[in-house]
Amino acid sequence: MPAITPNLWFDTRGKEAAEFYVSVFPNSRITHVSHYGEAGPRAAGTVLTVDFELDGKPFTAINGGPEFTFDEAVSFLVDWADQAEVDYYWSRLSEGGGREGPCGWVKDRYGLSWQIVPAALGELLADPDPARAQRAMAAMLGMSKLDVAALRAAADAA
């Protein structure tokens, strides 16, 4: 099967966004930058695409123009081991104009949505005790950034 590479459409800030993303995630790098030529539709020499990797996974940013923007219909879900990682990525992805959303969602300064999820959430929601799982779900629905201790406390409350 061929590789699947998410292609992220930006107006003009694709390279800036790629540089930001590789600064946030470990083991990440920009691998190639291409530019518009004389055929346009943008000025020759303007950045067209930026290929980059986030922890070894390929992405492409394209400066395609203002016709399309991101919305919540597409997001990147990132599972983290613990609260410290949730706090770090939540803070980094929301900095510089990002917006916090409900239930672990954050929109970065470029309008791209991320779901910052602790591993404990999946464990709690899959708990064999349905009442415990539902208490965790109810707690999660009331949160913005997910709080592992509060999720566990809600699940354990009887």
Side-chain angles (χ1 to χ4, degrees):
M1 181 170 157
I4 296 173
T5 302
N7 190 334
L8 306 173
W9 182 290
F10 296 87
D11 181 3
T12 60
R13 298 172 68 192
K15 186 168 187 260
E16 176 186 320
E19 289 169 342
F20 172 67
Y21 299 141
V22 301
S23 79
V24 170
F25 293 93
N27 306 313
S28 300
R29 65 192 179 114
I30 292 176
T31 58
H32 184 261
V33 178
S34 70
H35 298 84
Y36 282 97
E38 295 300 323
R42 303 253 174 134
T46 305
V47 172
L48 171 61
T49 62
V50 180
D51 296 324
F52 61 103
E53 295 175 354
L54 298 181
D55 198 22
K57 293 173 183 56
F59 289 80
T60 296
I62 183 169
N63 286 329
E67 295 84 4
F68 304 108
T69 58
F70 299 118
D71 67 28
E72 291 77 6
V74 174
S75 64
F76 291 109
L77 184 139
V78 189
D79 289 311
W80 298 110
D82 58 31
Q83 189 67 50
E85 289 180 331
V86 168
D87 293 346
Y88 169 78
Y89 289 98
W90 184 269
S91 173
R92 287 298 315 273
L93 290 168
S94 64
E95 74 185 22
R99 290 181 291 142
E100 298 181 359
C103 307
W105 287 58
V106 63
K107 188 175 280 202
D108 68 34
R109 67 181 91 168
Y110 304 101
L112 186 60
S113 293
W114 299 83
Q115 297 177 56
I116 307 302
V117 178
L121 179 64
E123 296 163 14
L124 291 166
L125 296 181
D127 193 285
D129 177 352
R132 189 167 189 268
Q134 287 304 301
R135 289 190 299 270
M137 173 66 90
M140 186 263 316
L141 291 172
M143 294 179 182
S144 187
K145 178 176 71 172
L146 300 183
D147 180 323
V148 174
L151 289 166
R152 288 191 192 286
D156 292 339

